[in-house]
Amino acid sequence: MSTLKTLQTGHVGLNVTDLDRSVAFYRTVFAFDTIAEGKEENRRFAFLGRQGKALITLWEQSTGEFPVALPGLHHLSFQVDTIDEVKAAEQVLRELDAHFAHDGVVPHGEHGTSGGIFFTDPDGIRLEIYAPTGADPADAPTENAPTCGFF
């Protein structure tokens, strides 16, 4: 039996190929602040978050594109309060020419009210921004399975 009494996600660390490009993307899309950064050659990183709390750490230590066919991170999801916030983020992402898995806001499942947008960052890491309500009425892109599981 675990002795951990309280547990919550601290931050999520992501490997990126171009730190400057990724910092700009995450700051623009999520309105993150840069909390800390390392600029030493071959040891570049950035801690991004809000109100002094790191939510994402970016580590410039990879090449290529995120391999979705290998075990590891499936996707990273962020919840917002309203579907209007999701739609506003969608517009920002369209201006950045981001790649979307589905066209616009989609529900998490058939007859569901929660839903969001599914897209990738510049390195192909799959991301989601969703709201708990407001995605209805719309057909889900995947029958009999959560939309966020298959994109």
Side-chain angles (χ1 to χ4, degrees):
M1 179 188 296
S2 175
T3 60
L4 302 173
K5 304 240 186 274
T6 303
L7 187 64
Q8 65 181 347
T9 302
H11 65 268
V12 175
L14 302 173
N15 283 341
V16 300
T17 59
D18 181 329
L19 186 66
D20 296 330
R21 177 183 70 179
S22 293
V23 165
F25 177 85
Y26 282 89
R27 285 181 54 116
T28 300
V29 174
F30 297 100
F32 286 148
D33 298 319
T34 301
I35 295 170
E37 59 186 324
K39 297 181 180 184
E40 184 181 330
E41 189 174 338
N42 297 321
R43 298 182 67 81
R44 297 188 67 218
F45 66 88
F47 286 22
L48 306 178
R50 291 187 175 173
Q51 300 171 336
K53 181 178 182 196
L55 299 171
I56 298 287
T57 58
L58 303 175
W59 307 93
E60 187 179 83
Q61 57 183 12
S62 62
T63 60
E65 189 169 288
F66 183 75
V68 297
L70 297 177
L73 178 72
H74 183 275
H75 75 285
L76 181 56
S77 176
F78 294 91
Q79 180 179 325
V80 295
D81 290 333
T82 69
I83 209 71
D84 288 337
E85 290 176 272
V86 175
K87 291 176 181 177
E90 177 188 3
Q91 290 307 310
V92 169
L93 287 158
R94 291 200 185 282
E95 291 171 11
L96 293 172
D97 202 26
H99 175 266
F100 287 86
H102 309 290
D103 188 29
V105 175
V106 295
H108 280 128
E110 287 296 323
H111 311 295
T113 60
S114 68
I117 53 175
F118 301 85
F119 58 98
T120 59
D121 81 351
D123 288 302
I125 297 170
R126 296 183 295 190
L127 301 165
E128 170 188 9
I129 299 175
Y130 78 96
T133 60
D136 57 321
D139 293 332
T142 305
E143 284 188 48
N144 302 319
T147 302
C148 62
F150 300 95
F151 72 99

